[in-house]
């Protein structure tokens, strides 16, 4: 049993997985400057970088067709790299790119599940900046609960079946930084719990 972790940034959730002694086989970062790469290397975990910018090269943003093709190849090549490493499970721990069917389909065919950490409750604030959006809704009195979930990854972003859901109360007298710090604390618990659950499901 082993997991492959996808990251894009600081890697504090990767660090939670490392500290919990989960069987991490490899870490792939979408960014060559992600601090999470240093965390993995310090823990003796092999790493690699798979950068979308490398596939885009000098293509201008107006070259929509060529960029779409490049992004599909990025996803296909990522699936090849991942499947060559034969993980039991892929964990998106702050992976900040939407995964295309050219990645999802080969993994589904190989029965390799993918899970993701998302800092919101099921059905709320899909996509990026979910922490800020939840906090703002709380400040406006529109929402009393934020949260964190670990969910299976499907093509529809952040709509896969939840594995772990943890609610967090939204407080009017709390700054964004204070709320964010609480969310991160819960994330680090949820990602270990969710990864253990998904690993168990993958082996049964
Ligand atoms: N097909 C799926 N891909 C991903 C999922 C998913 O559920 N299905 N979860 C995400 C993680 N994530 C939220 O939890 C997320 C990350 C990034 C984005 C996004 O819009 N990315 C943009 C780039 C954003 C930017 O850099 O400013 C993009 O990919 O073009 C949405 C959701 C992981 N992938
Ligand atoms: N939609 C996904 C998303 O927004 N994920 C966010 O990326 C961060 C990664 O932090 P890390 O690199 O320190 O683990 C996490 O805090 C999580 O909220």
């Amino acid at each position: 049993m082993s997991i492959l972790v996808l990251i894009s940034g600081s890697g504090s959730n990767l660090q939670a997985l490392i500290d919990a002694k989960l069987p991490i086989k490899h870490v792939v970062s979408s960014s060559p400057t992600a601090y999470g790469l240093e965390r993995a290397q310090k823990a003796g975990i092999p790493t690699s970088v798979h950068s979308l910018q490398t596939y885009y090269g000098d293509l201008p943003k107006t070259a929509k067709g060529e960029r779409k093709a490049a992004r599909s190849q990025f996803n296909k090549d990522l699936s090849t790299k991942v499947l060559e490493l034969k993980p039991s499970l892929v964990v998106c721990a702050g992976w900040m790119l939407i995964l295309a069917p050219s990645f999802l389909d080969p993994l589904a065919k190989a029965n390799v599940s993918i899970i993701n950490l998302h800092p919101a409750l099921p059905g709320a604030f899909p996509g990026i900046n979910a922490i800020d959006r939840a906090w703002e809704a709380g400040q406006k009195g529109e929402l009393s609960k934020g949260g964190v979930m670990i969910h299976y990854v499907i093509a529809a972003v952040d709509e896969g079946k939840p594995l772990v859901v943890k609610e967090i109360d939204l407080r009017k007298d709390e700054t964004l930084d204070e709320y964010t710090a609480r969310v991160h604390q819960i994330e680090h618990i949820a990602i270990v719990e969710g990864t253990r659950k998904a690993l168990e499901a993958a082996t049964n």
Side-chain angles (χ1 to χ4, degrees), residues 171-185:
R171 302 169 188 165
K172 281 253 183 159
D173 61 348
E174 190 172 45
T175 66
L176 174 58
D177 285 350
E178 289 165 340
Y179 175 65
T180 300
R182 283 200 297 138
V183 171
H184 289 333
Q185 281 181 330

Side-chain angles (χ1 to χ4, degrees), residues 9-13 93-94 96 117-119 127 131 184 187:
S10 165
S12 68
N13 284 281
M96 298 308 284
L117 158 74
H118 185 57
I131 294 175
H184 289 333
E187 286 177 340

Side-chain angles (χ1 to χ4, degrees), residues 87-114:
S88 314
L89 174 71
V90 173
V91 181
C92 295
W95 174 262
M96 298 308 284
L97 293 172
I98 295 172
L99 294 162
S102 51
F103 175 80
L104 300 173
D105 294 349
L107 265 76
K109 192 173 179 183
N111 288 318
V112 178
S113 295
I114 310 160

Side-chain angles (χ1 to χ4, degrees), residues 71 95-99 104 116-118 127-128 151 153-159:
R71 185 155 186 166
W95 174 262
M96 298 308 284
L97 293 172
I98 295 172
L99 294 162
L104 300 173
N116 176 61
L117 158 74
H118 185 57
I128 60 174
H151 63 91
V153 169
I154 61 174
V157 174
D158 298 332
E159 292 187 20

Side-chain angles (χ1 to χ4, degrees), residues 32-104:
T33 60
Y35 182 64
L37 289 168
E38 285 187 45
R39 294 180 193 266
Q41 287 148 13
K42 282 178 185 162
I45 299 167
T47 63
S48 55
V49 175
H50 196 70
S51 162
L52 180 57
Q53 196 48 52
T54 304
Y55 284 74
Y56 281 163
D58 296 332
L59 287 173
K61 288 196 173 176
T62 50
K64 293 190 184 301
E66 294 91 330
R67 286 170 72 96
K68 184 177 179 182
R71 185 155 186 166
S72 182
Q73 190 63 50
F74 165 88
N75 277 274
K76 186 177 184 313
D77 292 349
L78 179 61
S79 71
T80 302
K81 178 184 286 188
V82 167
L83 292 175
E84 280 171 353
L85 290 162
K86 296 183 170 55
S88 314
L89 174 71
V90 173
V91 181
C92 295
W95 174 262
M96 298 308 284
L97 293 172
I98 295 172
L99 294 162
S102 51
F103 175 80
L104 300 173

